[in-house]
Amino acid sequence: MPIEAVVAASEILLLAKREEEIAVIREATDCHSLSVVSECPDVVSFLRQQGKYANATRPDLILLDMDLSNTEECEVLTEIKKNSEFKRIPIVVIASSERYEDVFHAYDLHANAYIRKPADRTELVRVLRATLQFWLTLVRLPKQ
Amino acid sequence: MPSRPFEILLVEDSPGDIWLTREILMQGPIPKNISVVTDGEQALDYLFQRGKFSGARRPDLILLDLNLPRVNGLQVLTQMKKDSGLRAITVVVLTTSEARSDINAAYDLNANCYIVKPVDLEQFTQAIRGIEEFWMSMAVLPTTLPPMGAEEAQAEPKASGTPAESNGSGLLGSKLRRRLMSPRLVRYPGRYAHSPVPGRRVGSRRFGGARS
């Protein structure tokens, strides 16, 4: 199968709160199908196809733009990774913090990977593209 | 970046794949130590620092094959991800298996990612380089950062008790903190730094294009 076909078929779910960050991430994920939610409870509603997400497609990859000191955001990670139906979907945490405690906490909650968000916009786009390239072409993702 | 080499534990039973993986990794830009174990039982002994592996260094990244003698890769994952001191270590499953049941089981057991070993030499090289680029330079791993309290502990060594315990914030268990703080994590024991290299099966799968 050509690599392009694999990339184009990927569904990404993003949790991000700030418009400017959503815009950057959208730019980096241009050729993918990106769904964005901005409230923590919506991530689980999306996965469960509840309410306005009744027609949501199961994502291949979840990006959580999060602050590890925010308990509610950590609960989203915990909730997905404890749910036998959704836990196998890889979650990449994108965060500003490079504190040991935050990074450890994310992996301890079974985040699949932790990426530090560079302050520079161009650099962020580069890092996100490389991250998606790795996850969507080299990595074999789980299937239902 | 860490001030010490990146620690990799390669769990692989094929001598050819061990040799090739090491060769490609050693050509990469990141300074690293590669320890090799060839079955799942040794992998668990290494991680739990049992027996001859009592001085083993905590890996930053584990490259785990699934089809292994004695204890298979999924059993290794099960055991280590159940352990609060080990479960934050990144595990990249690197296997020839393309079975959906293996892929799903690995993710369900909290493997960080699953990569199918390409048969083609060039693609195999790209896969290993991709792992190096993503996991050793782009992603942030907990093990490559100084543990909390490490600087203070080094700056003012305590007369009694382990320095780590007096500085922890309670997020980590004391056992884990001791482990992370242990000097053995950063020294070179030497004994396992060099693994068994080329076996007679080297190249049989990939070089020359002949597949048996």
Side-chain angles (χ1 to χ4, degrees):
Chain A
M1 203 191 313
I3 280 171
E4 292 74 15
V6 177
V7 174
S10 299
E11 295 282 339
I12 300 167
L13 173 62
L14 167 70
L15 168 69
K17 297 194 169 169
R18 293 167 52 210
E19 278 304 323
E20 54 204 278
E21 302 202 326
I22 294 170
V24 181
I25 295 170
R26 223 179 252 293
E27 184 185 330
T29 55
D30 46 12
C31 62
H32 308 282
S33 165
L34 182 73
S35 305
V36 183
V37 296
S38 47
E39 297 300 328
C40 291
D42 285 357
V43 176
V44 177
S45 305
F46 187 99
L47 294 174
R48 292 188 192 281
Q49 300 179 306
Q50 287 167 339
K52 61 179 172 176
Y53 301 111
N55 296 319
T57 314
R58 184 184 169 97
D60 298 302
L61 185 70
I62 299 173
L63 302 177
L64 297 182
D65 179 352
M66 65 188 282
D67 171 2
L68 270 296
S69 60
N70 180 321
T71 314
E72 193 196 14
E73 294 183 6
C74 290
E75 276 168 10
V76 174
L77 186 51
T78 310
E79 199 171 341
I80 299 170
K81 289 299 182 183
K82 279 201 172 147
N83 183 309
S84 58
E85 202 183 335
F86 308 125
K87 67 181 291 188
R88 68 175 62 144
I89 304 173
I91 296 182
V92 177
V93 169
I94 309 163
S96 317
S97 166
E98 212 173 342
R99 288 170 69 229
Y100 174 81
E101 296 92 321
D102 291 340
V103 177
F104 182 90
H105 193 41
Y107 283 103
D108 200 43
L109 294 176
H110 300 303
N112 292 71
Y114 186 109
I115 305 296
R116 196 185 64 83
K117 205 189 304 176
D120 177 67
R121 184 189 165 108
T122 316
E123 182 61 10
L124 175 58
V125 170
R126 190 193 69 82
V127 165
L128 286 169
R129 286 205 169 124
T131 298
L132 293 174
Q133 171 81 13
F134 177 80
W135 282 93
L136 303 177
T137 62
L138 193 54
V139 169
R140 194 65 63 96
L141 295 169
K143 291 267 192 299
Q144 273 312 91
Chain B
M1 287 305 290
S3 55
R4 56 166 176 81
F6 199 94
E7 291 289 341
I8 297 169
L9 175 63
L10 174 61
V11 188
E12 173 61 74
D13 64 326
S14 150
D17 285 354
I18 293 171
W19 179 80
L20 197 52
T21 306
R22 286 177 52 93
E23 281 296 300
I24 300 163
L25 285 173
M26 294 319 284
Q27 283 168 16
I30 314 273
K32 54 185 88 69
N33 286 324
I34 304 166
S35 304
V36 181
V37 292
T38 53
D39 66 48
E41 195 174 283
Q42 284 183 60
L44 289 171
D45 284 348
Y46 185 101
L47 290 168
F48 288 96
Q49 298 179 311
R50 295 189 291 235
K52 67 174 180 176
F53 297 108
S54 61
R57 290 157 297 187
R58 181 187 173 87
D60 299 310
L61 181 73
I62 302 171
L63 298 177
L64 180 66
D65 190 10
L66 290 187
N67 302 310
L68 294 164
R70 299 151 90 88
V71 173
N72 71 36
L74 293 176
Q75 290 169 306
V76 172
L77 258 182
T78 308
Q79 293 301 315
M80 70 159 285
K81 292 290 186 182
K82 263 200 288 196
D83 185 90
S84 62
L86 297 174
R87 70 168 170 241
I89 300 177
T90 314
V91 179
V92 173
V93 171
L94 185 61
T95 176
T96 49
S97 170
E98 296 189 66
R100 180 176 290 192
S101 57
D102 279 340
I103 297 171
N104 288 347
Y107 283 105
D108 284 348
L109 291 169
N110 300 306
N112 294 75
C113 74
Y114 190 108
I115 294 177
V116 176
K117 278 183 204 166
V119 175
D120 175 77
L121 176 61
E122 193 169 321
Q123 284 178 15
F124 186 88
T125 306
Q126 279 174 11
I128 301 296
R129 288 196 179 137
I131 291 170
E132 171 152 357
E133 274 169 32
F134 183 76
W135 288 109
M136 298 178 222
S137 95
M138 198 161 297
V140 185
L141 302 180
T143 44
T144 55
L145 293 169
M148 56 190 147
E151 282 153 37
E152 295 88 327
Q154 274 166 8
E156 31 175 342
K158 299 284 187 290
S160 62
T162 56
E165 283 186 294
S166 54
N167 283 294
S169 71
L171 177 66
L172 307 179
S174 61
K175 188 179 157 198
L176 169 64
R177 261 185 275 126
R178 272 199 302 278
R179 208 157 177 171
L180 289 167
M181 294 293 295
S182 163
R184 78 162 67 103
L185 296 174
V186 288
R187 75 168 191 229
Y188 288 77
R191 187 171 171 189
Y192 304 112
H194 299 286
S195 63
V197 246
R200 57 188 178 282
R201 282 164 60 201
V202 167
S204 63
R205 227 178 92 224
R206 276 179 254 277
F207 294 109
R211 281 198 232 166
S212 49

